[in-house]
Amino acid sequence: MRQQRRKFLKGASKAAVAAVAAPYVMRGYAADPVNIGGLYPSTGGMAQIGQGCVVAAKMAVEMVNNAGGVKALGGAKLNLILSDVQSDTTVTRTETDRLISGNKLTAVHGCYASALTLIASEVCERAKVPIITGSSTDQLNKGRHFTFTPFARASQFARAQLQMAKLVADKPKVAVVFENTAFGTATSNGLKELAPGEGVEIVMFEPYSAGFTDAGPLINKVKASGANMLFSVSYLNDLILIVRTVKQVGLNIAINGGSGGFVIPDFYKNVGKAAEGLLGVAHWNHDVNDAAEKVNAEYKKRTGEFIFEYAGGLVAQTYMLVDAMERAQSADPVKVRDALASLDASSGYAAMAPGGKVKFGPDGKNVYGHPVGVQWQNGDLVSVFPKEDARKPLLKT
Amino acid sequence: MLEIVAQAVINGLLIGGIYALVSIGVTLIFGVVKIVNFAQGEFVMIGMYVTFFLATQLGMDPIVSLVVSMPLLFLIGVGVQHFLIRRVLGLNDLPQIFLTFALSLLILNVALMLLTPNYRTLHTSYSDAALHLGGLTVPVAKLIAFGVAMLLSAILWVFLHTTDLGRAMRAASQNRDVAQLMGINPHRVFAVALGIALALAGAAGSLLMPFYPAYPMVGQVFVLMAFVAVVLGTLGNVVGALVASLLMGIAESLGIQFIGADSGLIVVFLLLLITLAVKPSGLAARS
């Protein structure tokens, strides 16, 4: 009896080993799951967008895995390892370090917020792990080799906003107010530099500290400046206060809310009808192409809301990483980095971007990257600029 | 020019009223119980959500919901005193600091879990309304908030100066041991102080709701200003906190208007530093 059992066990274990090992032996490498790090603030002041990103990150990994994983790696599944960077730069540094040193990571995506992404990118560069991000600050494209930015840069947002201003007013006199961290400063400096060339006059240029208790004093200042258009580079809670205060004061002024907090479903929920006709810019929108519409439908099923730029963009980023792994035939971070550098996507989920093409230049920028101008129309965020990306005409309000 | 200054002062005064409600609560607790309540902002947040849900579920106007949010927060205050603060009163400072700090973190994170970090806004008939006086704009919702805040502060002052319980509270704040010798029951007094302080936080929440979005971290925006006002207006001094709050609101607004929109807080802290250099115990200190 004992003999038999031992024999059975031996046989069974051999069979099991053979069954499990077969694909590796045949292909000559291991189909362990591929670890992808996701760094997003799901607590703290940036949690709102961060949590939406987490939903999208999980959804993207499920989509890849349900479609058979990474085929060149024997159908290896993606394993998403999430880390909460708590909206804090110090935490971002330690969490990125911890994530990389504690796990065998192939690549990282995150953190959406520029101030956090800059830190995470530094850590990734040092550890030689590629990071792909929707963050728009141009600083990410200077002297970095493992950082990839598939979407429009902050400096490009500015030109789009200025060109849209000319479509709304014949002689735009613009007041620029911006929150005074990396995101706001980078975007607004772009506006200031480009305005003269685009024929737009800036009559007020004002940084403010995010998280104010009252937008009254700021709007008071805008009113005094005589501007006929307001560019606000803000996170959501400030923007809600700014738009509501403009209505309260009875100031008749066209508003371009930029990106960030302006292009997420919650903006409309909080501001309501007052949001109708407001303009903004985004590095991604849910109507840019058919693949994006499909992703949007799936996200809507899960959350009841349309997928906003950072969340949608990071689904595309996940597919860019998979595309790189397929071509590298490896989960090695340096090889995946090299494959990302030669990415050239023009179809499928990896190409979900305004213009529908992704190819990285030596600075990690998508050479085709450009923003879309968007407008709130009947509670939906619609792409209206430039012409080739517009899904509906821009309404003058 | 004069109009711009006047508008800036009005804006500052109106938001100063809200700072006052929060800071009076903090200073009252400190004065009477000798404990710093780091969780005061979180109670403002609770007041906001109570008001929000009363409005969206039962259609109750935020101003009317004061009659719910204030008693509710009063009871929470009594509970916090009875079950938590009372246990650490005999101990040294650290357990007391950690208790209210932990309470703040706990409430904040439970709110994040249950309510999500999303912003919630109420739209009332007067949310976007404003009175236009000449070239000046006075938002109705903020004016109501300011008026009610001043009314509540006045009621508190009368209570503290004319009722036995109020006098007992002032006595306990001046000298706890002597007050006890005079037959004042400190735990009853402390419970009422906590109750009133939290009721004021609840009132601030209800009054903010028509014009400010609610989210779990919202308390931290206001509590920073409240702490500055408490120090500026002399620790434990209710009138001092009120005056300091209004001054800070005006200083912040003028700073934004004439120095830069990112220097509102700089001006406020400058005001604090200068005051402390000249009068180290704050504006209301007897020299």
Side-chain angles (χ1 to χ4, degrees):
Chain A
M1 184 63 196
R2 183 173 243 182
Q3 279 289 335
Q4 262 180 345
R5 192 161 59 198
R6 196 169 281 165
K7 205 170 162 189
F8 169 76
L9 281 174
K10 256 187 196 165
S13 57
K14 256 186 211 159
V17 167
V20 174
Y24 315 143
V25 176
M26 279 161 59
R27 288 171 181 268
Y29 42 76
D32 296 329
V34 179
N35 290 333
I36 304 278
L39 292 162
Y40 294 95
S42 45
T43 55
M46 300 162 181
Q48 205 204 13
I49 289 180
Q51 290 193 351
C53 288
V54 167
V55 173
K58 289 181 182 164
M59 185 180 95
V61 164
E62 271 175 46
M63 285 168 63
V64 170
N65 288 347
N66 290 345
V70 184
K71 300 193 179 67
L73 299 180
K77 304 279 190 227
L78 294 187
N79 178 33
L80 178 69
I81 304 175
L82 286 165
S83 170
D84 176 16
V85 294
Q86 298 176 18
S87 314
D88 182 294
T89 48
T90 315
V91 175
T92 302
R93 189 179 296 282
T94 52
E95 277 299 294
T96 313
D97 246 338
R98 194 183 61 81
L99 199 70
I100 291 176
S101 57
N103 303 281
K104 227 182 101 195
L105 291 185
T106 297
V108 170
H109 59 72
C111 318
Y112 111 73
S114 295
L116 306 183
T117 311
L118 282 166
I119 307 270
S121 153
E122 275 172 29
V123 178
C124 287
E125 291 283 334
R126 237 181 296 126
K128 299 200 186 309
V129 172
I131 178 169
I132 187 161
T133 177
S135 160
S136 61
T137 171
D138 291 75
Q139 282 171 272
L140 286 168
N141 304 102
K142 284 173 194 139
R144 296 176 197 237
H145 299 284
F146 284 81
T147 305
F148 295 89
T149 58
F151 303 112
R153 315 315 302 143
S155 51
Q156 293 174 292
F157 278 64
R159 192 180 297 277
Q161 276 179 292
L162 293 165
Q163 287 170 348
M164 287 165 80
K166 284 189 295 188
L167 298 179
V168 178
D170 294 332
K171 276 206 172 140
K173 283 203 232 161
V174 175
V176 182
V177 300
F178 56 100
E179 61 88 31
N180 60 359
T181 69
F183 158 64
T185 315
T187 311
S188 50
N189 279 339
L191 283 167
K192 199 179 189 179
E193 275 165 33
L194 296 174
E198 294 289 339
V200 174
E201 187 190 352
I202 291 186
V203 294
M204 173 181 163
F205 190 77
E206 191 84 15
Y208 69 84
S209 26
F212 46 50
T213 53
D214 182 18
L218 187 64
I219 298 308
N220 196 21
K221 223 172 165 175
V222 173
K223 195 177 176 187
S225 75
N228 60 10
M229 186 146 200
L230 172 64
F231 285 4
S232 173
V233 188
S234 310
Y235 288 112
L236 181 60
N237 58 331
D238 297 332
L239 196 58
I240 294 169
L241 289 174
I242 287 172
V243 171
R244 292 185 78 178
T245 308
V246 165
K247 298 284 162 192
Q248 242 170 30
V249 174
L251 191 57
N252 188 15
I253 193 168
I255 298 177
N256 190 311
S259 56
F262 178 75
V263 293
I264 66 178
D266 242 46
F267 177 76
Y268 197 90
K269 271 205 255 165
N270 278 283
V271 175
K273 287 264 177 279
E276 285 292 333
L278 298 197
L279 295 164
V281 278
H283 64 248
W284 195 95
N285 197 24
H286 59 89
D287 61 4
V288 289
N289 62 19
D290 291 346
E293 302 266 21
K294 257 189 254 169
V295 169
N296 183 38
E298 179 61 32
Y299 186 86
K300 238 183 196 161
K301 229 189 280 167
R302 294 177 187 220
T303 64
E305 284 158 352
F306 73 75
I307 190 163
F308 59 95
E309 55 168 358
Y310 284 108
L314 80 85
V315 175
Q317 289 163 29
T318 306
Y319 276 92
M320 291 171 207
L321 291 176
V322 171
D323 182 291
M325 286 176 222
E326 298 283 11
R327 285 178 297 109
Q329 306 199 333
S330 166
D332 176 70
V334 176
K335 286 181 185 154
V336 169
R337 180 254 158 229
D338 292 343
L340 269 176
S342 61
L343 179 97
D344 192 353
S346 54
S347 66
Y349 292 117
M352 277 190 299
K357 284 197 269 186
V358 181
K359 181 181 176 180
F360 293 111
D363 50 4
K365 251 186 239 182
N366 175 6
V367 296
Y368 305 113
H370 64 265
V372 278
V374 290
Q375 185 169 38
W376 285 104
Q377 297 183 3
N378 301 318
D380 191 19
L381 193 67
V382 183
S383 299
V384 294
F385 179 88
K387 268 210 177 76
E388 55 274 24
D389 292 311
R391 298 292 171 261
K392 279 186 183 163
L394 190 156
L395 301 177
K396 284 191 196 187
T397 47
Chain B
M1 185 62 195
L2 197 65
E3 199 177 285
I4 293 172
V5 177
Q7 183 68 56
V9 171
I10 290 173
N11 286 336
L13 206 57
L14 292 182
I15 198 69
I18 296 291
Y19 297 162
L21 282 183
V22 188
S23 64
I24 288 174
V26 174
T27 213
L28 190 67
I29 295 176
F30 184 83
V32 177
V33 195
K34 299 281 180 283
I35 194 167
V36 179
N37 183 17
F38 288 102
Q40 193 75 2
E42 276 57 54
F43 293 114
V44 175
M45 180 261 288
I46 292 177
M48 290 186 83
Y49 277 107
V50 167
T51 308
F52 176 82
F53 286 115
L54 284 175
T56 49
Q57 304 300 318
L58 303 177
M60 192 183 278
D61 186 272
I63 307 304
V64 179
S65 70
L66 279 172
V67 301
V68 181
S69 64
M70 290 186 69
L72 179 71
L73 267 294
F74 183 91
L75 290 180
I76 295 178
V78 172
V80 166
Q81 162 63 25
H82 188 77
F83 294 107
L84 298 173
I85 293 179
R86 197 159 61 103
R87 320 267 164 189
V88 299
L89 275 184
L91 309 173
N92 59 23
D93 288 348
L94 274 183
Q96 303 185 358
I97 290 171
F98 282 125
L99 176 75
T100 61
F101 195 62
L103 195 61
S104 158
L105 286 179
L106 182 74
I107 298 173
L108 181 72
N109 284 291
V110 169
L112 269 174
M113 233 162 61
L114 297 182
L115 301 163
T116 75
N118 288 352
Y119 299 97
R120 290 165 215 249
T121 309
L122 277 188
H123 293 272
T124 59
S125 55
Y126 50 89
S127 276
D128 296 332
L131 305 175
H132 296 277
L133 310 165
L136 300 179
T137 309
V138 184
V140 173
K142 286 175 191 160
L143 185 64
I144 295 174
F146 179 78
V148 177
M150 291 307 106
L151 183 68
L152 290 175
S153 308
I155 292 173
L156 178 65
W157 193 87
V158 171
F159 167 78
L160 287 176
H161 286 83
T162 61
T163 65
D164 284 347
L165 190 55
R167 288 201 190 93
M169 277 169 71
R170 282 166 57 221
S173 95
Q174 281 163 11
N175 193 323
R176 187 186 297 175
D177 297 331
V178 175
Q180 229 168 324
L181 286 174
M182 297 297 128
I184 290 170
N185 176 353
H187 290 302
R188 184 156 160 266
V189 168
F190 292 173
V192 174
L194 252 293
I196 292 176
L198 264 60
L200 290 177
S206 290
L207 294 170
L208 274 170
M209 211 50 233
F211 62 91
Y212 205 87
Y215 55 102
M217 279 82 66
V218 69
Q220 311 204 329
V221 175
F222 289 92
V223 86
L224 173 70
M225 298 305 269
F227 279 128
V228 177
V230 166
V231 177
L232 187 63
T234 305
L235 283 163
N237 191 310
V238 170
V239 179
L242 172 68
V243 173
S245 297
L246 299 180
L247 278 178
M248 277 163 48
I250 295 171
E252 187 188 20
S253 175
L254 287 172
I256 290 173
Q257 185 73 48
F258 294 106
I259 301 173
D262 55 353
S263 41
L265 277 181
I266 298 176
V267 175
V268 167
F269 281 101
L270 215 58
L271 180 69
L272 176 70
L273 284 181
I274 293 170
T275 310
L276 291 186
V278 180
K279 285 189 97 175
S281 307
L283 288 173
R286 297 204 179 88
S287 43

